[in-house]
Amino acid sequence: MTTRLVSRARIGAVSVLALLLAGCGIRATEVPTNFGPAPSRVRCSLAEPDVSTQAARGLPAQVFLLCGSSLVTVDRTVRVPDGAADSERRMLVAQGLLDQLAAPPSSAEKEAGYSTDVRGGIKVSGPRPGDPEDTLRLSTTPDSLTSYALAQIVCTFSDSAAAEGDGSVVLGGPGAEPPRRWECTDEVRARPGSKEPPSKDVPRE
């Protein structure tokens, strides 16, 4: 008699526990569950240097590509003839960097999540009369570029031999509009889609 009472008590306790779990929306399962966040497929970093982008001889440089919602630097090479004058050298470096920005990322870079918003065909020229001597004029107006492309160009140029190395670059377009000094900031690198590079007027010479 006592054994039966104990068995009934155990069965009743199990039934109550099952009802409580069901009321909480919890189902018993033998399959382990993982409630952690899904792993991201965008690594924004290469497992090892991409040899295909560094095969050409020339001046080692870095360009800013898009990865996720931010700008990330990748290694590139820009060809500059020996003996080029300083002004010519700046133009060649700027054009080489621009061409690298417009080139499709390598297979390894695409797999790592890199992309670019800079389109091909943009040319670089030097200053016009009255422009600061470090002016780079593009064949398209900077304001006509997407915020991503403008951020890529500004940050790449300002961190290269094409500029003065102070984190900014003087850019103009093909028209008569005066050039402006554009700055690459931490906010621009972190959010190029929503944070346009700040710019300001430069004194005319």
Side-chain angles (χ1 to χ4, degrees), residues 69-71 184-198:
S69 59
S70 61
L71 295 180
C184 178
T185 64
D186 292 338
E187 291 79 9
V188 171
R189 288 189 289 269
R191 299 188 304 276
S194 58
K195 189 68 175 178
E196 187 175 278

Side-chain angles (χ1 to χ4, degrees), residues 21-171:
L21 290 175
C24 294
I26 301 175
R27 293 188 301 171
T29 177
E30 296 179 359
V31 180
T33 57
N34 178 16
F35 296 100
S40 173
R41 294 183 179 181
V42 179
R43 292 182 290 131
C44 294
S45 62
L46 297 172
E48 56 187 31
D50 190 354
V51 179
S52 64
T53 63
Q54 303 176 32
R57 293 182 179 179
L59 178 68
Q62 288 187 323
V63 299
F64 281 83
L65 296 184
L66 299 168
C67 196
S69 59
S70 61
L71 295 180
V72 181
T73 57
V74 297
D75 295 328
R76 288 291 189 268
T77 300
V78 177
R79 294 186 178 182
V80 180
D82 294 335
D86 289 344
S87 57
E88 181 185 6
R89 182 183 177 87
R90 288 184 59 251
M91 295 303 104
L92 292 171
V93 169
Q95 187 64 61
L97 292 172
L98 196 55
D99 293 342
Q100 291 290 340
L101 285 172
S106 67
S107 298
E109 290 168 346
K110 288 180 180 178
E111 185 178 351
Y114 292 96
S115 64
T116 182
D117 212 47
V118 178
R119 299 296 173 254
I122 303 177
K123 301 301 181 183
V124 182
S125 59
R128 293 180 177 178
D131 290 346
E133 64 179 7
D134 59 341
T135 299
L136 298 174
R137 283 194 172 266
L138 306 179
S139 58
T140 185
T141 58
D143 289 332
S144 68
L145 298 169
T146 66
S147 59
Y148 291 105
L150 180 59
Q152 284 184 259
I153 293 173
V154 168
C155 289
T156 297
F157 281 177
S158 64
D159 195 38
S160 73
E164 298 297 325
D166 61 351
S168 67
V169 60
V170 179
L171 291 180

